[in-house]
Amino acid sequence: MARRGAVPGTAIPRCAPDDACARDARRAGGRLRAVARAALVLLAACARPPAPPTLDFWALGTEGESVAPLVRDFERAHPGVRVRLQAVAFSAAHEKLLTAVVGDATPDVAQLGNTWIPEFAALRALEPLDPRLARSAVVHRADYFPGAWATNVVDGRTFGIPWYVDTRLVFYRSDLMARAGVARAPESWAEWTDAMRRLRRVQPAGGAPALLPLNEFEPPLIILSQSGAPLLRDHDTRGNFRDPRVRAAFAWYVGLFRDGLAPPVASTQVSNVAQEFGAGRYAMYVTGPWNVGEFRRWMPDTLPPARRPAGPRWATMAMPGPTGAASGTSLAGGSSLVLFRGPGHDDPARRALAWQFVEFLSTTAAQARFAQLSSDLPARADAWAPAGFGADPQLAPFLTQLRRLTPLPSVPEWESIATRVTHAVERAARGTMTVDAALAALDAEVDDILEKRRWLLARRAAAAAPTHLSAR
């Protein structure tokens, strides 16, 4: 029996247009249409292809332009993946990276100068890479120059993979050396000093054998590091510049200025180093691979003999050391690839993809190609031959030097300390302080710089002490 008001043969009530039953039916219909629209939107969203994985990569300076072809190669090798490359000016990079850390806006992967790694590691902004290295089939520590790799290790943990390297050695006028009767490149400090004295006799009036700008911390730090003594002591919490070995190295370096073998000038007082070098006013200069191109432009003696114009000749040599070639170490420079961590970097799949990108840039083939694109020195020794650098007479000594590197202390305060070293050298070189007074002042300044580090380490040690000992 059909209910009253129902459509015969159905359970659907039949309503008059203006009664309560009709209003309920209209409301029910509205809800059904809303649900249907939501379902359609959901279906459309499900049908839309997912957004491609995107990595953010910050590269600094000209490397940001040079690496672009390799980024495209990675994208082709990983269909559907996009790498958003941002080239950051080197002059603004440090501040931009710090701002990104504070604002939780760091990229997935970045190029980082290796002297900055201790600072960003102390901020806990970098991912320790040792677990990934243990599983990697591409990145092996043994393939890299030990001194360059060491700059990425802080408190026993690895925070970066060397991407390209640089170091400093001696550029010298080979023709003037021959005229001065120096038969071969000096290997010890004694031979180096003798060569400079001989060069002085054949240089034009007003010249000096060596240019060692007083505002550059790298040349004196190279010499002090060659002493064999650590530059910091007590777990890198105090200066060690009055150590007898460091003092002897400092005195020898300052003696070059006092003996007139190097002028007490800053680099800003030399308008064009390559031009002055070509004119013979300086015959030796401690600098890096970035100047090879500039010196070739002014002194193109790398051309074949038939096409070589008459003019000055020059070459490079590894740093002489206090006791010979083996002690002729230099500093490790360059940049590394790092993974940032923190907010925004908690997706394991994206982090794995970021590491794949680092591995891609670390292959021998990618290192060689990047070297050709950028003229930067490869961080992997096995990439030198395919890059064509090992057979280059003015670049090959860099390969020798890169095998003799001394890493500097891995403390965030190091750049401030390095600046104080230049001040100490300048005071002693200009004779405003004795060697001992300059080193005493340097140690005191470094101790002040490292005061917070001592406090932090003491607090950490107290926290780690057993409770029963702390209570005594």
Side-chain angles (χ1 to χ4, degrees):
M1 180 178 170
R3 287 183 299 168
R4 179 178 176 272
V7 176
T10 73
I12 300 175
R14 185 166 54 190
C15 309
D18 56 348
D19 65 11
C21 173
R23 288 195 295 274
D24 289 345
R26 285 196 292 273
R27 281 197 289 270
R31 285 195 294 272
L32 285 172
R33 285 192 294 275
V35 170
R37 283 196 297 271
L40 287 173
V41 170
L42 182 61
L43 285 172
C46 292
R48 190 182 304 146
T54 301
L55 291 177
D56 286 311
F57 173 42
W58 289 6
L60 316 182
T62 57
E63 282 73 24
E65 301 169 8
S66 302
V67 75
L70 287 166
V71 168
R72 291 195 292 272
D73 288 348
F74 179 78
E75 290 175 333
R76 278 193 289 271
H78 298 77
V81 173
R82 184 186 168 211
V83 178
R84 199 156 40 207
L85 170 63
Q86 183 173 160
V88 181
F90 236 121
S91 57
H94 187 260
E95 184 176 352
K96 184 177 176 68
L97 285 163
L98 283 178
T99 303
V101 170
V102 173
D104 295 333
T106 51
D108 300 288
V109 184
Q111 169 192 350
L112 204 63
N114 57 14
T115 58
W116 298 347
I117 286 180
E119 178 184 7
F120 284 86
L123 293 172
R124 300 180 182 277
L126 305 181
E127 176 184 329
L129 300 176
D130 300 284
R132 296 188 189 276
L133 286 168
R135 300 189 299 269
S136 178
V138 176
V139 185
H140 303 291
R141 180 175 182 157
D143 293 329
Y144 293 80
F145 301 105
W149 186 276
T151 63
N152 295 271
V153 179
V154 181
D155 293 333
R157 294 190 295 174
T158 308
F159 288 96
I161 306 301
W163 189 24
Y164 68 85
V165 292
D166 65 52
T167 187
R168 294 197 180 211
L169 44 61
V170 183
F171 287 43
Y172 67 97
R173 283 285 301 270
S174 52
D175 54 347
L176 293 181
M177 287 266 278
R179 200 183 309 166
V182 182
R184 62 175 178 81
E187 295 182 346
S188 67
W189 287 357
E191 291 177 355
W192 195 10
T193 305
D194 179 66
M196 285 190 269
R197 288 186 173 137
R198 289 170 181 264
L199 279 167
R200 187 160 52 185
R201 298 175 196 152
V202 300
Q203 287 184 272
L211 175 62
L212 302 167
L214 286 172
N215 61 330
E216 294 184 359
F217 60 75
E218 291 89 352
L221 282 177
I222 291 171
I223 299 303
L224 300 187
S225 298
Q226 289 181 350
S227 70
L231 302 183
L232 301 179
R233 62 183 174 87
D234 296 349
H235 303 289
D236 293 340
T237 60
R238 292 187 182 277
N240 193 40
F241 293 93
R242 283 176 291 177
D243 179 282
R245 294 164 291 178
V246 181
R247 185 197 179 283
F250 187 88
W252 179 82
Y253 188 75
V254 168
L256 299 178
F257 298 92
R258 294 185 173 181
D259 293 344
L261 298 177
V265 299
S267 59
T268 51
Q269 295 174 263
V270 182
S271 59
N272 186 318
V273 172
Q275 192 174 17
E276 296 291 298
F277 198 77
R281 283 186 278 277
Y282 302 114
M284 291 181 169
Y285 181 40
V286 177
T287 186
W290 54 88
N291 263 324
V292 169
E294 184 69 5
F295 275 50
R296 284 176 176 171
R297 193 164 72 84
W298 285 93
M299 295 167 285
D301 65 345
T302 53
L303 296 170
R307 296 171 48 203
R308 185 181 301 157
R313 307 287 302 280
W314 66 285
T316 59
M317 65 179 185
M319 292 296 302
T323 57
S327 61
T329 58
S330 189
L331 305 182
S335 284
S336 299
L337 297 170
V338 300
L339 299 185
F340 277 96
R341 69 177 181 181
H345 300 297
D346 49 2
D347 180 353
R350 182 164 169 163
R351 300 198 61 71
L353 186 61
W355 175 246
Q356 285 180 38
F357 182 57
V358 171
E359 287 187 315
F360 175 82
L361 293 179
S362 302
T363 61
T364 302
Q367 282 263 299
R369 186 159 182 233
F370 183 64
Q372 292 166 336
L373 291 167
S374 65
S375 298
D376 290 329
L377 304 183
R380 291 180 65 123
D382 60 2
W384 277 65
F389 285 14
D392 186 309
Q394 288 159 336
L395 289 178
F398 282 96
L399 184 57
T400 301
Q401 191 66 72
L402 285 165
R403 293 185 169 121
R404 300 201 310 244
L405 298 178
T406 300
L408 293 169
S410 294
V411 295
E413 302 87 350
W414 183 252
E415 290 197 356
S416 297
I417 294 171
T419 302
R420 300 306 198 282
V421 171
T422 63
H423 296 167
V425 168
E426 183 168 6
R427 291 166 186 155
R430 295 189 186 282
T432 60
M433 276 189 174
T434 65
V435 165
D436 290 315
L439 290 176
L442 176 58
D443 268 340
E445 290 172 358
V446 173
D447 287 353
D448 285 345
I449 292 172
L450 295 172
E451 182 179 9
K452 185 176 181 181
R453 180 174 175 80
R454 291 196 296 277
W455 177 79
L456 286 171
L457 291 180
R459 193 175 70 162
R460 189 182 304 170
T467 306
H468 68 282
L469 293 178
S470 300
R472 290 179 181 176

